[in-house]
Amino acid sequence: MNSQATVTPIIEMRNIRKHYGPVIALAGVSIKIYPGECHCLLGDNGAGKSTFIKAMSGVVKPTQGDIFVNGEQKFFNNPRDAMQAGIATVHQHLAMIPLMSVSRNFFLGNEPTKKIAGIQFYDRKHADSKTMEAMSKMGINLRGPDQAVGTLSGGERQTVAISRAVHFGARVLILDEPTSALGVRQTSNVLATIDKVRNEGVAVVFITHNVRHALAVGDRFTVLNRGQTHGTAMRGDITPEDLQNLMAGGQELATLEGSLGGTV
Amino acid sequence: MNKSSAPFLCKDYRVNLMNNKLSIPDERVKEMSTFRNSLIRPELGGIIGTIVVFIIFIILASDSGMFSSQGVLNWSIVSAQFMIIAVGACLLMIAGEFDLSVGSMIGFAGMLIAIFGVTFGWPMWMAILLTFAICIAIGALNGFICIRTGLPSFIVTLAFLFILRGFTIFLPQTIERKTIIGGIREAAEGDWLGAVFGEKLFMGFFQYLGDLGIISVFSRGTRAGEPVVNGIPMLIVWALILVAFGHILLTKTRFGNWIFASGGDAEAARNSGVPVNKVKILMFMFTAFCATVFATCQVMEFGSAGADRGLLKEFEAIIAVVIGGALLTGGYGSVIGAALGALIFGVVQQGLFFAGVESSLFRVFLGLILLGAVILNTYIRRLITGER
Ligand SMILES: Nc1ncnc2c1ncn2[C@@H]1O[C@H](COP(=O)(O)OP(=O)(O)OP(=O)(O)O)[C@@H](O)[C@H]1O
Ligand SMILES: [Mg+2]
C-alpha cells in the first residue's frame, strides 16, 4: 500500500464541518478511503463518527467541506445519490425490517420484477434463490428465504445487511458500529465478513469504539475526538494503547486505567 | 498492505467462517419447516376463526334458513360490506397508518352523490365520478397532513371523522332542509356507472336455477315466479375484486414490499430507497376509494343517502383487519386475513339474528372473538417473525 500516494482515493472527504445549531459536531475532518482497505473510524460517544459517515452517505448535508468520489467532486442531496455513487451504508440503528422475510429485506428498494400480461410483478422466485445464494456465500444457513429477519441473531442481521450492500454493487461500504451489540462469536462473524468484502476490492469504513475489533481487521485507523481528527495511522504504526488514549482524548484514561487494572 | 501481516485474530475469524460454510443443513429439519411454513401464515387465525364460526352456526342456526339461498345472500352481503372497507384499512394499517374517518367518509360520499345526482339533477355517472375524485382527494389530504406534520394518523383522521360528519349533516340541511335525501334509485335508472354499483350479475342464470327448482321461487305477489335470489349484487363483486386486487398488490408486486417496509420501519425503508411518503399517501387514497365504493353501493341499494350512514364503520373495518392477523402498529398483515375477518364479522352478526339470539349479545360475541383472535394471532406472528 505504499503506492497509495499515487492511487486516487475512491472517496475523499475534505475539511468536513457540520453544525447542529450551536453544536459543532464536526470541526473540519478530512479522510481518504482507498479501494480494498478497511478504514477504521474510532472515537468515543459523541465524537462525531455517525455524523461524519452520514455526510458521506448523503443522509446529512455538511455545513462546509467537499466530497470527492474517484477524484470527482460530488454533492449528495439524499441517500439515493450516495447509493448511485456506489456508497452503501449499514446504519447504527439497522436498516433491516424485522417483521419482513430475509429475501424481502434483501431486495428492498431493488426488487426484481417480471412481466406477466404487461404488468410488473415481484419476481419472488428470483429474489428467494438469489438471497439463499448470497446468504450461503456469507456462511449463514437460512431455514428458508421466508424466514423473518426478526428470527436472525444480531450478527446474522449485520451480515445480511452487508451482503445486500455488496450484492448491489457497493464500492464503499460504511458500517456504523456493526459489532457494538454483539457477543464474541457474532462479532467474529461480522469481522470475517468485513474481511471477505475487503478482499473483493470493496472499501470498508468500519466504525467502532472497540480498539480490539478495529485492530483485528483494520488497515488504517482514524480517530475522531470532539469533532476533530488527529490524522490517520497505518496498521503497525500505532499500538493499541496509543489508539485507546487517542480515543479518550489523551489523559482521562491514564487515571482510569490504574483503577480498572488495564482491562478497558 | 501486506496480507501476511494480518494478525492472528483475523485468521481465527477466517477459520470460524469456514466452519460455518461447511456445516451441512439437516434435511429432516428442513422438511418440517416447509410443512410448518405452509401452515403458519398470517391468515391462519382468520382461517381457524372462520371454520369455528361456521361450525357454531351450523349447529345453532341450520334450521333457521341461515344456509338457504336467501340466508346465504343475506350474510354474504353484510360480509362483503365489511370486506370492502377492510381491504383499504388493511393495506393502510400494514403501511403503518390508521384512518378513523372511514365511517364519516361513507356518509359524506353518499351525501355528495345524492346532492349532485338528485338535488342538482346531474347525470348519475358524473355525480359518482366527482364524488370519487373529492373523496380520494380528501384521503390524500389526510395522508399529506400526517406526513408533513409527523402527527399520528390517529389524531389527524380523528379530526376528519368530525369534519366530514359535520359536513354530511350540514350540507343536506342547508340545501334540502332535511338529513335524508331520497330518489337516488330513480335518478340512477339506466345510468351505466350507477349499474356498476347497484345492479346484479347473472340474473338470467339465477332465473334458470329458479325455474329448475334449485332455488326456491316466490309463489305469490308481484314477483311470483321470480327466484328469491335473483342475482349476485355488485356489492359482492366489488368486494371480491378489491380483495383480489389488495392481495396481489401486497404479496406479488414490488409496491407491496414497500407497503410492508413503510409500516415495518419507515426510517429503515427510507434508507433503502423506498419512497415511504408516496406509499403512505397512496394508501390513504386507496382507503378513501374503498369507503366511496361502499357508500356508492349503499346509496344505490337503499335509494337514499342519510346523514348517519357509516357510523362506527372505521372501527368495524379495523376490527376485521385485526381479526385477520394484521399488526396494529403496522408492517405485518394479510388482505386474505382481513377478508376472512370481515366474513367472520358478517356471519356472526347475521347468524345471531338467524339463531334468534338477543341482539345485544352481538357485542359480547364480537368482543370475545376479537380477544380470542388477537391472542391467537399474536402467537402465530411470534412463530413466524421470531418477535421477542
Ligand atoms: N440531529 C442532531 N441535532 C443536534 N445535535 C446532534 C444531532 N446529531 C448529532 N448531534 C450531536 O453531534 C455530536 C456527534 O454525534 P454523533 O452521533 O456523530 O456521535 P458518534 O461519534 O456517532 O457517537 P456514538 O459512538 O455514541 O454513536 C453529538 O454531540 C451529538 O449530540
Ligand atoms: Mg454513532
Side-chain angles (χ1 to χ4, degrees), chain A residues 64-91:
Chain A
Q64 217 180 56
D66 304 308
I67 303 173
F68 299 88
V69 176
N70 284 324
E72 200 182 306
Q73 185 157 19
K74 294 269 182 189
F75 300 93
F76 298 145
N77 288 314
N78 52 49
R80 264 174 189 269
D81 289 351
M83 273 185 240
Q84 232 122 55
I87 299 164
T89 313
V90 179
H91 288 279

PDB file of all heavy atoms in Angstrom, chain A residues 64-91:
ATOM      1  N   GLN A  64     -20.075  22.598   5.668  1.00  0.00           N
ATOM      2  CA  GLN A  64     -18.967  23.047   4.839  1.00  0.00           C
ATOM      3  C   GLN A  64     -18.113  21.837   4.484  1.00  0.00           C
ATOM      4  O   GLN A  64     -18.159  20.834   5.169  1.00  0.00           O
ATOM      5  CB  GLN A  64     -18.121  24.030   5.659  1.00  0.00           C
ATOM      6  CG  GLN A  64     -17.560  25.184   4.854  1.00  0.00           C
ATOM      7  CD  GLN A  64     -16.743  26.074   5.758  1.00  0.00           C
ATOM      8  OE1 GLN A  64     -15.816  25.608   6.412  1.00  0.00           O
ATOM      9  NE2 GLN A  64     -17.096  27.352   5.814  1.00  0.00           N
ATOM     10  N   GLY A  65     -17.342  21.943   3.425  1.00  0.00           N
ATOM     11  CA  GLY A  65     -16.448  20.845   3.075  1.00  0.00           C
ATOM     12  C   GLY A  65     -16.811  20.211   1.756  1.00  0.00           C
ATOM     13  O   GLY A  65     -17.910  20.416   1.235  1.00  0.00           O
ATOM     14  N   ASP A  66     -15.878  19.435   1.196  1.00  0.00           N
ATOM     15  CA  ASP A  66     -16.069  18.867  -0.129  1.00  0.00           C
ATOM     16  C   ASP A  66     -15.962  17.353  -0.093  1.00  0.00           C
ATOM     17  O   ASP A  66     -15.216  16.784   0.703  1.00  0.00           O
ATOM     18  CB  ASP A  66     -15.012  19.414  -1.085  1.00  0.00           C
ATOM     19  CG  ASP A  66     -15.041  20.933  -1.123  1.00  0.00           C
ATOM     20  OD1 ASP A  66     -16.135  21.483  -1.342  1.00  0.00           O
ATOM     21  OD2 ASP A  66     -13.990  21.555  -0.885  1.00  0.00           O
ATOM     22  N   ILE A  67     -16.713  16.727  -0.986  1.00  0.00           N
ATOM     23  CA  ILE A  67     -16.677  15.276  -1.109  1.00  0.00           C
ATOM     24  C   ILE A  67     -16.259  14.930  -2.532  1.00  0.00           C
ATOM     25  O   ILE A  67     -16.802  15.489  -3.498  1.00  0.00           O
ATOM     26  CB  ILE A  67     -18.065  14.663  -0.818  1.00  0.00           C
ATOM     27  CG1 ILE A  67     -18.542  15.078   0.584  1.00  0.00           C
ATOM     28  CG2 ILE A  67     -18.030  13.151  -0.955  1.00  0.00           C
ATOM     29  CD1 ILE A  67     -19.960  14.655   0.894  1.00  0.00           C
ATOM     30  N   PHE A  68     -15.261  14.030  -2.662  1.00  0.00           N
ATOM     31  CA  PHE A  68     -14.811  13.602  -3.981  1.00  0.00           C
ATOM     32  C   PHE A  68     -14.976  12.097  -4.089  1.00  0.00           C
ATOM     33  O   PHE A  68     -14.566  11.369  -3.193  1.00  0.00           O
ATOM     34  CB  PHE A  68     -13.345  13.972  -4.193  1.00  0.00           C
ATOM     35  CG  PHE A  68     -13.098  15.453  -4.126  1.00  0.00           C
ATOM     36  CD1 PHE A  68     -12.831  16.066  -2.914  1.00  0.00           C
ATOM     37  CD2 PHE A  68     -13.132  16.230  -5.276  1.00  0.00           C
ATOM     38  CE1 PHE A  68     -12.617  17.435  -2.846  1.00  0.00           C
ATOM     39  CE2 PHE A  68     -12.912  17.591  -5.218  1.00  0.00           C
ATOM     40  CZ  PHE A  68     -12.659  18.210  -3.999  1.00  0.00           C
ATOM     41  N   VAL A  69     -15.570  11.659  -5.184  1.00  0.00           N
ATOM     42  CA  VAL A  69     -15.644  10.223  -5.449  1.00  0.00           C
ATOM     43  C   VAL A  69     -14.807   9.963  -6.691  1.00  0.00           C
ATOM     44  O   VAL A  69     -15.061  10.552  -7.744  1.00  0.00           O
ATOM     45  CB  VAL A  69     -17.100   9.768  -5.653  1.00  0.00           C
ATOM     46  CG1 VAL A  69     -17.142   8.301  -6.032  1.00  0.00           C
ATOM     47  CG2 VAL A  69     -17.912  10.008  -4.398  1.00  0.00           C
ATOM     48  N   ASN A  70     -13.797   9.121  -6.558  1.00  0.00           N
ATOM     49  CA  ASN A  70     -12.845   8.880  -7.647  1.00  0.00           C
ATOM     50  C   ASN A  70     -12.287  10.182  -8.219  1.00  0.00           C
ATOM     51  O   ASN A  70     -12.159  10.347  -9.427  1.00  0.00           O
ATOM     52  CB  ASN A  70     -13.512   8.087  -8.774  1.00  0.00           C
ATOM     53  CG  ASN A  70     -13.654   6.628  -8.393  1.00  0.00           C
ATOM     54  OD1 ASN A  70     -12.768   6.086  -7.734  1.00  0.00           O
ATOM     55  ND2 ASN A  70     -14.756   6.013  -8.773  1.00  0.00           N
ATOM     56  N   GLY A  71     -12.008  11.115  -7.339  1.00  0.00           N
ATOM     57  CA  GLY A  71     -11.407  12.368  -7.754  1.00  0.00           C
ATOM     58  C   GLY A  71     -12.372  13.405  -8.297  1.00  0.00           C
ATOM     59  O   GLY A  71     -11.967  14.508  -8.652  1.00  0.00           O
ATOM     60  N   GLU A  72     -13.645  13.022  -8.351  1.00  0.00           N
ATOM     61  CA  GLU A  72     -14.634  13.925  -8.928  1.00  0.00           C
ATOM     62  C   GLU A  72     -15.522  14.474  -7.812  1.00  0.00           C
ATOM     63  O   GLU A  72     -16.035  13.709  -6.998  1.00  0.00           O
ATOM     64  CB  GLU A  72     -15.499  13.110  -9.901  1.00  0.00           C
ATOM     65  CG  GLU A  72     -16.242  13.908 -10.926  1.00  0.00           C
ATOM     66  CD  GLU A  72     -17.091  12.973 -11.787  1.00  0.00           C
ATOM     67  OE1 GLU A  72     -16.534  11.985 -12.359  1.00  0.00           O
ATOM     68  OE2 GLU A  72     -18.296  13.206 -11.842  1.00  0.00           O
ATOM     69  N   GLN A  73     -15.702  15.778  -7.783  1.00  0.00           N
ATOM     70  CA  GLN A  73     -16.486  16.349  -6.689  1.00  0.00           C
ATOM     71  C   GLN A  73     -17.967  15.982  -6.811  1.00  0.00           C
ATOM     72  O   GLN A  73     -18.531  16.003  -7.893  1.00  0.00           O
ATOM     73  CB  GLN A  73     -16.352  17.867  -6.656  1.00  0.00           C
ATOM     74  CG  GLN A  73     -17.060  18.464  -5.456  1.00  0.00           C
ATOM     75  CD  GLN A  73     -16.533  19.823  -5.062  1.00  0.00           C
ATOM     76  OE1 GLN A  73     -15.884  20.499  -5.849  1.00  0.00           O
ATOM     77  NE2 GLN A  73     -16.783  20.232  -3.829  1.00  0.00           N
ATOM     78  N   LYS A  74     -18.553  15.627  -5.668  1.00  0.00           N
ATOM     79  CA  LYS A  74     -19.968  15.214  -5.662  1.00  0.00           C
ATOM     80  C   LYS A  74     -20.727  15.991  -4.601  1.00  0.00           C
ATOM     81  O   LYS A  74     -20.152  16.387  -3.585  1.00  0.00           O
ATOM     82  CB  LYS A  74     -20.082  13.716  -5.320  1.00  0.00           C
ATOM     83  CG  LYS A  74     -19.490  12.798  -6.347  1.00  0.00           C
ATOM     84  CD  LYS A  74     -20.525  12.400  -7.368  1.00  0.00           C
ATOM     85  CE  LYS A  74     -19.903  11.440  -8.370  1.00  0.00           C
ATOM     86  NZ  LYS A  74     -20.745  11.171  -9.499  1.00  0.00           N
ATOM     87  N   PHE A  75     -22.001  16.187  -4.856  1.00  0.00           N
ATOM     88  CA  PHE A  75     -22.877  16.778  -3.845  1.00  0.00           C
ATOM     89  C   PHE A  75     -24.044  15.825  -3.643  1.00  0.00           C
ATOM     90  O   PHE A  75     -24.822  15.602  -4.555  1.00  0.00           O
ATOM     91  CB  PHE A  75     -23.386  18.139  -4.316  1.00  0.00           C
ATOM     92  CG  PHE A  75     -22.278  19.114  -4.579  1.00  0.00           C
ATOM     93  CD1 PHE A  75     -21.739  19.247  -5.849  1.00  0.00           C
ATOM     94  CD2 PHE A  75     -21.768  19.878  -3.539  1.00  0.00           C
ATOM     95  CE1 PHE A  75     -20.697  20.131  -6.084  1.00  0.00           C
ATOM     96  CE2 PHE A  75     -20.734  20.771  -3.778  1.00  0.00           C
ATOM     97  CZ  PHE A  75     -20.190  20.899  -5.051  1.00  0.00           C
ATOM     98  N   PHE A  76     -24.123  15.246  -2.459  1.00  0.00           N
ATOM     99  CA  PHE A  76     -25.199  14.297  -2.198  1.00  0.00           C
ATOM    100  C   PHE A  76     -26.382  15.019  -1.573  1.00  0.00           C
ATOM    101  O   PHE A  76     -26.262  15.627  -0.518  1.00  0.00           O
ATOM    102  CB  PHE A  76     -24.728  13.193  -1.246  1.00  0.00           C
ATOM    103  CG  PHE A  76     -23.604  12.367  -1.803  1.00  0.00           C
ATOM    104  CD1 PHE A  76     -22.617  11.885  -0.958  1.00  0.00           C
ATOM    105  CD2 PHE A  76     -23.542  12.062  -3.154  1.00  0.00           C
ATOM    106  CE1 PHE A  76     -21.583  11.114  -1.456  1.00  0.00           C
ATOM    107  CE2 PHE A  76     -22.511  11.287  -3.652  1.00  0.00           C
ATOM    108  CZ  PHE A  76     -21.524  10.820  -2.800  1.00  0.00           C
ATOM    109  N   ASN A  77     -27.522  14.930  -2.230  1.00  0.00           N
ATOM    110  CA  ASN A  77     -28.720  15.549  -1.668  1.00  0.00           C
ATOM    111  C   ASN A  77     -29.525  14.570  -0.828  1.00  0.00           C
ATOM    112  O   ASN A  77     -30.313  14.974   0.009  1.00  0.00           O
ATOM    113  CB  ASN A  77     -29.593  16.110  -2.788  1.00  0.00           C
ATOM    114  CG  ASN A  77     -28.973  17.342  -3.392  1.00  0.00           C
ATOM    115  OD1 ASN A  77     -28.515  18.232  -2.673  1.00  0.00           O
ATOM    116  ND2 ASN A  77     -28.915  17.399  -4.714  1.00  0.00           N
ATOM    117  N   ASN A  78     -29.364  13.297  -1.092  1.00  0.00           N
ATOM    118  CA  ASN A  78     -30.110  12.282  -0.341  1.00  0.00           C
ATOM    119  C   ASN A  78     -29.377  10.942  -0.446  1.00  0.00           C
ATOM    120  O   ASN A  78     -28.432  10.817  -1.227  1.00  0.00           O
ATOM    121  CB  ASN A  78     -31.545  12.175  -0.877  1.00  0.00           C
ATOM    122  CG  ASN A  78     -31.559  11.978  -2.378  1.00  0.00           C
ATOM    123  OD1 ASN A  78     -30.844  11.121  -2.901  1.00  0.00           O
ATOM    124  ND2 ASN A  78     -32.343  12.773  -3.076  1.00  0.00           N
ATOM    125  N   PRO A  79     -29.816   9.971   0.356  1.00  0.00           N
ATOM    126  CA  PRO A  79     -29.112   8.685   0.355  1.00  0.00           C
ATOM    127  C   PRO A  79     -29.046   8.031  -1.028  1.00  0.00           C
ATOM    128  O   PRO A  79     -28.075   7.342  -1.337  1.00  0.00           O
ATOM    129  CB  PRO A  79     -29.934   7.829   1.311  1.00  0.00           C
ATOM    130  CG  PRO A  79     -30.638   8.789   2.197  1.00  0.00           C
ATOM    131  CD  PRO A  79     -30.873  10.014   1.376  1.00  0.00           C
ATOM    132  N   ARG A  80     -30.067   8.277  -1.855  1.00  0.00           N
ATOM    133  CA  ARG A  80     -30.063   7.671  -3.188  1.00  0.00           C
ATOM    134  C   ARG A  80     -28.865   8.128  -4.007  1.00  0.00           C
ATOM    135  O   ARG A  80     -28.263   7.342  -4.729  1.00  0.00           O
ATOM    136  CB  ARG A  80     -31.343   8.044  -3.928  1.00  0.00           C
ATOM    137  CG  ARG A  80     -32.420   6.989  -3.831  1.00  0.00           C
ATOM    138  CD  ARG A  80     -33.697   7.503  -4.461  1.00  0.00           C
ATOM    139  NE  ARG A  80     -34.801   6.595  -4.190  1.00  0.00           N
ATOM    140  CZ  ARG A  80     -35.139   5.595  -4.999  1.00  0.00           C
ATOM    141  NH1 ARG A  80     -34.493   5.388  -6.118  1.00  0.00           N
ATOM    142  NH2 ARG A  80     -36.132   4.803  -4.689  1.00  0.00           N
ATOM    143  N   ASP A  81     -28.533   9.433  -3.908  1.00  0.00           N
ATOM    144  CA  ASP A  81     -27.387   9.955  -4.657  1.00  0.00           C
ATOM    145  C   ASP A  81     -26.111   9.207  -4.276  1.00  0.00           C
ATOM    146  O   ASP A  81     -25.312   8.832  -5.130  1.00  0.00           O
ATOM    147  CB  ASP A  81     -27.195  11.452  -4.353  1.00  0.00           C
ATOM    148  CG  ASP A  81     -28.289  12.295  -4.981  1.00  0.00           C
ATOM    149  OD1 ASP A  81     -29.070  11.733  -5.777  1.00  0.00           O
ATOM    150  OD2 ASP A  81     -28.354  13.498  -4.669  1.00  0.00           O
ATOM    151  N   ALA A  82     -25.954   9.009  -2.967  1.00  0.00           N
ATOM    152  CA  ALA A  82     -24.753   8.327  -2.493  1.00  0.00           C
ATOM    153  C   ALA A  82     -24.747   6.877  -2.955  1.00  0.00           C
ATOM    154  O   ALA A  82     -23.717   6.353  -3.389  1.00  0.00           O
ATOM    155  CB  ALA A  82     -24.674   8.409  -0.977  1.00  0.00           C
ATOM    156  N   MET A  83     -25.916   6.245  -2.898  1.00  0.00           N
ATOM    157  CA  MET A  83     -26.003   4.853  -3.345  1.00  0.00           C
ATOM    158  C   MET A  83     -25.615   4.743  -4.813  1.00  0.00           C
ATOM    159  O   MET A  83     -24.932   3.815  -5.219  1.00  0.00           O
ATOM    160  CB  MET A  83     -27.419   4.322  -3.147  1.00  0.00           C
ATOM    161  CG  MET A  83     -27.663   3.739  -1.775  1.00  0.00           C
ATOM    162  SD  MET A  83     -29.321   3.014  -1.723  1.00  0.00           S
ATOM    163  CE  MET A  83     -30.081   3.959  -0.439  1.00  0.00           C
ATOM    164  N   GLN A  84     -26.089   5.724  -5.584  1.00  0.00           N
ATOM    165  CA  GLN A  84     -25.781   5.716  -7.011  1.00  0.00           C
ATOM    166  C   GLN A  84     -24.275   5.810  -7.254  1.00  0.00           C
ATOM    167  O   GLN A  84     -23.758   5.257  -8.211  1.00  0.00           O
ATOM    168  CB  GLN A  84     -26.469   6.883  -7.706  1.00  0.00           C
ATOM    169  CG  GLN A  84     -27.275   6.456  -8.901  1.00  0.00           C
ATOM    170  CD  GLN A  84     -28.722   6.865  -8.758  1.00  0.00           C
ATOM    171  OE1 GLN A  84     -29.019   8.034  -8.553  1.00  0.00           O
ATOM    172  NE2 GLN A  84     -29.614   5.907  -8.840  1.00  0.00           N
ATOM    173  N   ALA A  85     -23.591   6.520  -6.358  1.00  0.00           N
ATOM    174  CA  ALA A  85     -22.139   6.657  -6.478  1.00  0.00           C
ATOM    175  C   ALA A  85     -21.418   5.443  -5.907  1.00  0.00           C
ATOM    176  O   ALA A  85     -20.194   5.417  -5.846  1.00  0.00           O
ATOM    177  CB  ALA A  85     -21.679   7.928  -5.766  1.00  0.00           C
ATOM    178  N   GLY A  86     -22.183   4.415  -5.496  1.00  0.00           N
ATOM    179  CA  GLY A  86     -21.572   3.181  -5.015  1.00  0.00           C
ATOM    180  C   GLY A  86     -21.282   3.166  -3.531  1.00  0.00           C
ATOM    181  O   GLY A  86     -20.521   2.337  -3.052  1.00  0.00           O
ATOM    182  N   ILE A  87     -21.887   4.096  -2.804  1.00  0.00           N
ATOM    183  CA  ILE A  87     -21.637   4.157  -1.364  1.00  0.00           C
ATOM    184  C   ILE A  87     -22.841   3.582  -0.625  1.00  0.00           C
ATOM    185  O   ILE A  87     -23.938   4.130  -0.682  1.00  0.00           O
ATOM    186  CB  ILE A  87     -21.402   5.610  -0.916  1.00  0.00           C
ATOM    187  CG1 ILE A  87     -20.179   6.169  -1.633  1.00  0.00           C
ATOM    188  CG2 ILE A  87     -21.223   5.681   0.597  1.00  0.00           C
ATOM    189  CD1 ILE A  87     -20.082   7.665  -1.577  1.00  0.00           C
ATOM    190  N   ALA A  88     -22.638   2.454   0.033  1.00  0.00           N
ATOM    191  CA  ALA A  88     -23.728   1.813   0.761  1.00  0.00           C
ATOM    192  C   ALA A  88     -23.451   1.904   2.246  1.00  0.00           C
ATOM    193  O   ALA A  88     -22.301   1.798   2.669  1.00  0.00           O
ATOM    194  CB  ALA A  88     -23.867   0.362   0.341  1.00  0.00           C
ATOM    195  N   THR A  89     -24.501   2.088   3.018  1.00  0.00           N
ATOM    196  CA  THR A  89     -24.325   2.289   4.445  1.00  0.00           C
ATOM    197  C   THR A  89     -25.186   1.324   5.233  1.00  0.00           C
ATOM    198  O   THR A  89     -26.349   1.124   4.901  1.00  0.00           O
ATOM    199  CB  THR A  89     -24.734   3.727   4.833  1.00  0.00           C
ATOM    200  OG1 THR A  89     -24.134   4.625   3.916  1.00  0.00           O
ATOM    201  CG2 THR A  89     -24.300   4.047   6.232  1.00  0.00           C
ATOM    202  N   VAL A  90     -24.611   0.725   6.243  1.00  0.00           N
ATOM    203  CA  VAL A  90     -25.398  -0.023   7.216  1.00  0.00           C
ATOM    204  C   VAL A  90     -25.406   0.838   8.464  1.00  0.00           C
ATOM    205  O   VAL A  90     -24.394   0.957   9.144  1.00  0.00           O
ATOM    206  CB  VAL A  90     -24.785  -1.408   7.499  1.00  0.00           C
ATOM    207  CG1 VAL A  90     -25.617  -2.138   8.535  1.00  0.00           C
ATOM    208  CG2 VAL A  90     -24.704  -2.220   6.220  1.00  0.00           C
ATOM    209  N   HIS A  91     -26.529   1.473   8.735  1.00  0.00           N
ATOM    210  CA  HIS A  91     -26.577   2.460   9.807  1.00  0.00           C
ATOM    211  C   HIS A  91     -26.543   1.810  11.173  1.00  0.00           C
ATOM    212  O   HIS A  91     -26.867   0.643  11.336  1.00  0.00           O
ATOM    213  CB  HIS A  91     -27.818   3.337   9.664  1.00  0.00           C
ATOM    214  CG  HIS A  91     -27.716   4.288   8.514  1.00  0.00           C
ATOM    215  ND1 HIS A  91     -27.030   5.467   8.597  1.00  0.00           N
ATOM    216  CD2 HIS A  91     -28.159   4.208   7.240  1.00  0.00           C
ATOM    217  CE1 HIS A  91     -27.084   6.088   7.429  1.00  0.00           C
ATOM    218  NE2 HIS A  91     -27.762   5.338   6.583  1.00  0.00           N
TER     219      HIS A  91
END
